[in-house]
Amino acid sequence: MKIHNFSAGPCILPQVVFDKMAEACINFNNSGTSILEISHRRKDAVEVIDTARALVKELMNVPESHDVIFMQGGASLQFPIIASNLLKEGGKAAYMQTGKWAENAIKEAKRFGEIDVIASSKDKNYTYIPKDYTIPTDADYFHCTSNNTIFGTQMKQFPNSPVPMVCDMSSDILSRKVDVSKFGVIYAGAQKNMGPAGSTMAIVQRDLLGKTGRNIPDYLNYATHIKNESSFNTWPVIAIYGVMLNLQWLKEQGGVDAIAKINTEKANTMYTEIDRNGLFTGTANVEDRSQMNATFVLNNEELKAEFEALLKQAGVDSLTGHRDVGGYRASMYNALPLESVQVLVEVMKQLEQKFG
Amino acid sequence: MKIHNFSAGPCILPQVVFDKMAEACINFNNSGTSILEISHRRKDAVEVIDTARALVKELMNVPESHDVIFMQGGASLQFPIIASNLLKEGGKAAYMQTGKWAENAIKEAKRFGEIDVIASSKDKNYTYIPKDYTIPTDADYFHCTSNNTIFGTQMKQFPNSPVPMVCDMSSDILSRKVDVSKFGVIYAGAQKNMGPAGSTMAIVQRDLLGKTGRNIPDYLNYATHIKNESSFNTWPVIAIYGVMLNLQWLKEQGGVDAIAKINTEKANTMYTEIDRNGLFTGTANVEDRSQMNATFVLNNEELKAEFEALLKQAGVDSLTGHRDVGGYRASMYNALPLESVQVLVEVMKQLEQKFG
């Protein structure tokens, strides 16, 4: 049975990525060696990470002022890295609080200095994106989270920040066009639209670095990774190979603009059904709804077993909502085909026909 | 042609690891989903990391006082983590300096406090392991590097340290029996004897934590990973799956004692030829020679092209020494069969027959 994988991350990737990674586990580039046993400094390995970085630059139209680097540790490690690299000793930073991951980013940054939470949607369990806020001009940077997987909200536009803007794009990077030049730093755990779990990407404006007066450990210093072209130490070879393959696939699809159109179509299909079908209610504020993660609940909890049996029968997998929100979450990352959304919508219609 | 992979790391792993990882890229545990697209919190994923941790405990006979955790970032990230977690504000730590990686560990620790380099073999380009040193009783911990890949030296025994002993075992973990109870922390980048590149393992004595008075970012705090059983954030699923498979393989070989015997046989075969063959000279002090990495040079540089042509013809790969030492380095990690060492020895004999 075909499985429709709505996992919130790690998540579905294109079949060609799975196939080529499987092949490379046995025989990488017809070299007679597995990708799992080669030095990260071997020529054909270096080509992998160089190609991945070049593809990020191309697909996201990264300006010359910015470098693309691959690290490890996920957004959770980026939180203290951001503060170490950009928050001056005795300085302050402005944060927008739009969900659990923004909370974590704030918690970690507070270890390094004064954090001004200039906007928060915590009052309504993060069901919306704050709009009225002013970024203080004396902040060292402004930090926001572009998409909130748990709550199903997404920033539709970014402010014109008077200070360097830093954005955690872990869950919607490469899903839509973004003007990278507006940002000081963009970072993302790879395990949604970038590739498999195991690497973290950052796009860093070079001239922002080296100004905090802090004594930063080498691994936590963006400058280290820029200088060493992401090969400061052993990088996760197979994970980055997956990133490269996934970016090649995205390029073949027509790039970010082309995938954004499909993402919009998938999201429209999904939200149209949530709004039309009387058995369901969307949980996020309509204008802030995420194109990546649609969150919704069953109005009548008694239909839960029936709905989930139908989902299982249709091959719809990993639709359970995060425990902080409950209900359901349809994650529709780049590699999820429109067909999978249509199958889910069909199941919702079936439930309505039986119980609506 | 069969390739004999002497890479210093990432390095050869058992063929069964390659085969099973390839299979899991397509269909993990017959679930119909790729291991690359599943949540790290899915039941069968959690079983992977739990099994990997349990196997480390079993194979290394880890006492109840210690926890096994998986992180990311390699030894380079462990360097500041060690100091953050164990070096008190205003305290000092003792380090032994036996190579480039020890140098890096010292450099990073110095950011956090007073570092006393109590022994160093830098005077002779790290060709030996210091023996006469005293670990100060007022140090917060003593740090050493068990095996030095670049220079081909290895600590044959560990001191009875009066303070917690911390050891970077990146390049010889699981290659021989070690009494874990003697150590406060053991850590290792996975990419030699643990598994593919992309994860880092630490074995941490719980009761040493929480005493430095430092405000440690969550990701850099061992306590975070212990509390969350290595699932604080998204872990590198396929890399840990590779670790699990590799540890299963090791257990099937008879465990650490059994592999240690084979490692000794491989090393003896290698060093016997280096010492016997008049064309070559070993670069490390004889009594400190590493069982993992044998370093040697050609006495007559004019035979270089001929030797390397013969190596290539025999399928011997990645034998080039590190640029800091030159010459050759035969890395003989757990998964390298004795046969590969015999092939290399045969090539050395052939060269002798032609030019000896």
Side-chain angles (χ1 to χ4, degrees):
Chain A
M1 185 178 65
K2 177 158 172 59
I3 289 174
H4 302 281
N5 182 0
F6 286 88
S7 175
C11 67
I12 189 167
L13 294 170
Q15 185 64 40
V16 65
V17 173
F18 302 151
D19 293 343
K20 288 193 177 171
M21 285 179 79
E23 191 188 322
C25 284
I26 304 293
N27 187 1
F28 171 54
N29 275 354
N30 214 19
S31 63
T33 41
S34 166
I35 195 164
L36 301 161
E37 63 176 324
I38 65 170
S39 169
H40 60 296
R41 300 201 186 274
R42 204 171 86 172
K43 190 162 171 278
D44 49 357
V46 173
E47 276 172 21
V48 167
I49 198 161
D50 286 351
T51 303
R53 287 190 301 137
L55 280 165
V56 172
K57 285 184 188 171
E58 180 183 345
L59 289 163
M60 294 187 68
N61 198 19
V62 175
E64 278 303 315
S65 50
H66 290 57
D67 281 295
V68 174
I69 55 179
F70 289 106
M71 302 177 64
Q72 294 181 66
S76 296
L77 185 56
Q78 291 294 310
F79 299 156
I81 288 174
I82 289 293
S84 306
N85 281 265
L86 299 180
L87 182 51
K88 293 187 179 73
E89 290 276 11
K92 83 169 179 184
Y95 276 68
M96 183 154 79
Q97 190 179 41
T98 55
K100 183 194 151 193
W101 289 91
E103 280 181 9
N104 291 345
I106 290 163
K107 176 189 172 195
E108 295 300 332
K110 279 185 174 169
R111 302 183 196 277
F112 295 85
E114 187 190 339
I115 300 304
D116 189 357
V117 179
I118 60 168
S120 173
S121 50
K122 194 174 184 177
D123 58 339
K124 293 183 177 168
N125 198 30
Y126 299 123
T127 48
Y128 70 102
I129 300 287
K131 310 287 182 319
D132 294 323
Y133 55 89
T134 306
I135 300 168
T137 54
D138 62 344
D140 289 337
Y141 63 91
F142 164 66
H143 182 282
C144 57
T145 313
S146 58
N147 186 73
N148 304 281
T149 10
I150 296 174
F151 306 95
T153 62
Q154 186 175 31
M155 293 174 76
K156 297 300 170 186
Q157 52 196 23
F158 293 97
N160 290 310
S161 176
V163 298
M165 182 157 54
V166 177
C167 187
D168 178 355
M169 290 195 188
S170 293
S171 56
D172 67 354
I173 193 138
L174 294 162
S175 71
R176 57 174 174 173
K177 196 169 182 172
V178 160
D179 180 358
V180 175
S181 71
K182 285 186 75 168
F183 296 86
V185 177
I186 291 170
Y187 63 93
Q191 65 273 6
K192 295 163 203 279
N193 283 329
M194 289 283 299
S199 75
T200 312
M201 194 271 294
I203 305 174
V204 181
Q205 187 181 326
R206 263 187 310 281
D207 67 9
L208 297 179
L209 301 178
K211 296 179 179 169
T212 64
R214 296 182 192 274
N215 185 1
I216 312 172
D218 278 355
Y219 193 92
L220 305 179
N221 193 334
Y222 282 134
T224 305
H225 300 279
I226 292 172
K227 183 182 159 207
N228 290 281
E229 298 184 331
S230 301
S231 285
F232 167 60
N233 64 345
T234 309
W235 43 273
V237 183
I238 186 154
I240 299 288
Y241 183 60
V243 168
M244 184 201 80
L245 294 172
N246 190 47
L247 296 174
Q248 286 175 335
W249 171 85
L250 180 54
K251 187 177 171 183
E252 280 160 21
Q253 304 309 301
V256 171
D257 285 341
I259 209 80
K261 272 187 201 154
I262 302 171
N263 287 335
T264 298
E265 194 180 352
K266 289 186 294 187
N268 287 346
T269 304
M270 190 68 233
Y271 287 117
T272 299
E273 180 61 17
I274 289 172
D275 290 341
R276 190 205 60 75
N277 191 321
L279 300 184
F280 298 95
T281 303
T283 54
N285 190 26
V286 171
E287 69 176 10
D288 302 319
R289 281 171 165 177
S290 165
Q291 292 213 331
M292 294 288 102
N293 318 90
T295 50
F296 57 101
V297 293
L298 254 177
N299 296 330
N300 180 354
E301 269 290 308
E302 286 172 16
L303 299 181
K304 187 173 187 290
E306 185 74 22
F307 181 49
E308 292 178 10
L310 288 171
L311 290 171
K312 197 166 181 185
Q313 204 178 303
V316 173
D317 195 52
S318 302
L319 201 74
T320 308
H322 189 277
R323 60 187 178 278
D324 289 356
V325 175
Y328 302 96
R329 170 171 53 173
S331 294
M332 305 171 288
Y333 297 113
N334 284 357
L336 187 89
L338 176 60
E339 180 210 347
S340 292
V341 178
Q342 288 165 336
V343 167
L344 170 56
V345 163
E346 199 46 51
V347 171
M348 293 165 77
K349 286 187 201 290
Q350 279 175 36
L351 194 75
E352 186 191 32
Q353 278 156 12
K354 279 179 123 168
F355 301 99
Chain B
M1 185 178 63
K2 176 157 175 57
I3 290 174
H4 301 281
N5 182 0
F6 285 89
S7 174
C11 68
I12 189 169
L13 294 171
Q15 184 65 39
V16 65
V17 173
F18 303 152
D19 292 344
K20 289 193 177 172
M21 285 180 77
E23 191 188 322
C25 284
I26 304 294
N27 187 2
F28 170 54
N29 275 354
N30 213 20
S31 64
T33 40
S34 165
I35 196 164
L36 301 161
E37 65 175 324
I38 65 170
S39 168
H40 59 297
R41 299 199 187 275
R42 204 170 86 172
K43 190 163 169 280
D44 49 356
V46 173
E47 276 172 20
V48 167
I49 197 161
D50 286 351
T51 304
R53 288 190 301 137
L55 281 165
V56 172
K57 284 184 188 174
E58 182 184 343
L59 290 163
M60 293 188 68
N61 197 19
V62 176
E64 277 304 314
S65 50
H66 290 58
D67 281 294
V68 173
I69 54 180
F70 288 106
M71 302 178 64
Q72 293 180 68
S76 297
L77 185 55
Q78 291 294 311
F79 299 156
I81 288 175
I82 289 293
S84 306
N85 281 266
L86 299 180
L87 182 52
K88 294 187 178 73
E89 289 278 11
K92 84 168 178 184
Y95 275 67
M96 183 154 80
Q97 190 180 40
T98 54
K100 185 193 151 193
W101 289 92
E103 280 181 8
N104 292 345
I106 291 164
K107 176 187 171 195
E108 294 300 333
K110 279 184 174 168
R111 302 183 196 277
F112 294 85
E114 186 190 340
I115 301 303
D116 188 358
V117 179
I118 59 168
S120 173
S121 50
K122 195 174 184 177
D123 57 341
K124 291 184 179 168
N125 197 30
Y126 298 123
T127 47
Y128 70 101
I129 300 287
K131 309 287 184 317
D132 293 323
Y133 55 90
T134 305
I135 300 168
T137 54
D138 62 341
D140 289 337
Y141 63 91
F142 164 66
H143 183 284
C144 57
T145 313
S146 58
N147 186 75
N148 303 282
T149 10
I150 297 174
F151 305 95
T153 62
Q154 185 175 29
M155 293 175 76
K156 297 299 172 187
Q157 52 197 23
F158 295 97
N160 289 310
S161 176
V163 298
M165 181 157 56
V166 176
C167 187
D168 178 355
M169 290 194 189
S170 293
S171 57
D172 67 354
I173 194 141
L174 293 163
S175 72
R176 58 173 173 172
K177 196 169 183 173
V178 160
D179 180 357
V180 175
S181 70
K182 286 185 76 169
F183 297 85
V185 177
I186 291 170
Y187 63 94
Q191 65 274 6
K192 292 154 202 284
N193 284 329
M194 288 284 299
S199 74
T200 313
M201 194 271 293
I203 304 175
V204 181
Q205 187 181 328
R206 265 187 309 282
D207 69 7
L208 297 179
L209 302 179
K211 296 178 179 170
T212 64
R214 296 182 192 275
N215 186 1
I216 312 171
D218 277 354
Y219 193 92
L220 305 179
N221 194 334
Y222 282 134
T224 306
H225 300 279
I226 292 172
K227 184 181 158 207
N228 290 282
E229 298 183 331
S230 303
S231 285
F232 168 60
N233 65 345
T234 309
W235 42 273
V237 183
I238 187 155
I240 298 289
Y241 184 60
V243 168
M244 185 200 78
L245 294 172
N246 190 49
L247 296 174
Q248 285 175 335
W249 171 84
L250 180 54
K251 188 177 169 182
E252 280 160 20
Q253 305 309 301
V256 170
D257 284 340
I259 210 80
K261 272 187 203 153
I262 303 170
N263 286 334
T264 298
E265 194 180 351
K266 289 186 294 188
N268 287 346
T269 304
M270 190 68 234
Y271 287 118
T272 299
E273 180 62 15
I274 290 172
D275 290 340
R276 191 205 59 75
N277 191 320
L279 299 184
F280 299 95
T281 304
T283 54
N285 189 26
V286 171
E287 67 175 10
D288 302 319
R289 280 171 165 177
S290 166
Q291 292 214 330
M292 294 289 101
N293 317 91
T295 50
F296 57 100
V297 292
L298 254 176
N299 296 330
N300 180 356
E301 269 291 306
E302 285 173 15
L303 300 181
K304 187 173 187 291
E306 185 73 22
F307 181 48
E308 292 178 9
L310 288 173
L311 289 171
K312 196 168 181 184
Q313 202 178 305
V316 173
D317 196 51
S318 301
L319 201 75
T320 308
H322 189 277
R323 60 186 178 278
D324 289 356
V325 176
Y328 302 96
R329 170 171 53 172
S331 295
M332 305 171 286
Y333 296 114
N334 284 356
L336 187 88
L338 175 61
E339 180 209 345
S340 291
V341 178
Q342 288 165 336
V343 166
L344 169 56
V345 164
E346 200 45 52
V347 170
M348 293 165 77
K349 287 185 200 292
Q350 279 176 36
L351 194 75
E352 187 191 31
Q353 276 156 15
K354 281 179 123 166
F355 302 99

